Amino acid sequence: MKKIVFVILIVLLVMSCGKKEAVKKISHESQLAQESFALAETVRQAFEKGDLGIIKINSTEAGYADITSNERAYDRVGLVFTPRWVEIEDENVSLNIAWKGTWTADDMIAQESGMAIFLMEGTPLKVTKILRANPFVFPK
């Protein structure tokens, strides 16, 4: 009797370990969310480097105007983005980002933080508008 139970346990163990796990496909919404994170990071890096060409490629005219609307001169900027929430409706994405910025101008250092909403749309995604506290504007 013990041998039969032992053999059954081994057979069950072998059968349970032999199955291939099904790989789940990434949903369209998940892909859009990942693309929005990557786009925000691309724009952040381009802004820090002063690469307006990359910003222009990755934004609409209105989005470009929001990103480059800074009126004060600065020597250097450092931004940190932390995505907090993504809302996807059809092909429109709203990405809430908590940000911290350090601006340097004429030996003065200004630090600011806030919450911004990046509106994105299109295929591939492009920044169309920045709502709330714009991280690309030198603090007052």
Side-chain angles (χ1 to χ4, degrees):
M1 181 71 170
K2 288 182 183 179
K3 289 181 183 180
I4 294 174
V5 172
F6 182 70
V7 169
I8 291 173
L9 285 175
I10 289 180
V11 169
L12 288 174
L13 180 66
V14 169
M15 289 176 61
S16 67
C17 294
K19 293 182 183 177
K20 290 184 180 179
E21 289 187 33
V23 177
K24 291 184 179 181
K25 290 186 178 182
I26 297 174
S27 70
H28 180 64
E29 288 81 12
S30 179
Q31 288 175 336
L32 278 176
Q34 290 174 354
E35 185 180 349
S36 69
F37 298 156
L39 176 59
E41 186 61 21
T42 298
V43 170
R44 182 197 66 78
Q45 289 174 353
F47 185 79
E48 286 183 345
K49 293 177 185 175
D51 191 343
L52 298 179
I54 296 292
I55 295 170
K56 193 166 200 161
I57 290 170
N58 290 292
S59 59
T60 63
E61 287 183 30
Y64 183 78
D66 282 350
I67 295 169
T68 59
S69 64
N70 195 24
E71 296 177 1
R72 295 179 61 191
Y74 60 90
D75 299 324
R76 190 177 46 191
V77 63
L79 294 170
V80 177
F81 286 176
T82 307
R84 293 291 182 196
W85 187 262
V86 179
E87 290 183 19
I88 301 170
E89 191 172 307
D90 298 323
E91 295 297 314
N92 299 324
V93 178
S94 273
L95 175 61
N96 293 328
I97 293 180
W99 60 270
K100 292 181 184 178
T102 304
W103 299 76
T104 306
D106 300 328
D107 298 330
M108 181 188 84
I109 297 175
Q111 293 184 331
E112 186 82 25
S113 63
M115 187 71 130
I117 301 172
F118 285 46
L119 300 180
M120 303 173 185
E121 63 183 33
T123 305
L125 286 177
K126 291 188 175 200
V127 176
T128 58
K129 186 123 183 91
I130 298 175
L131 304 175
R132 297 185 65 185
N134 189 339
F136 302 109
V137 176
F138 191 103
K140 295 181 180 184

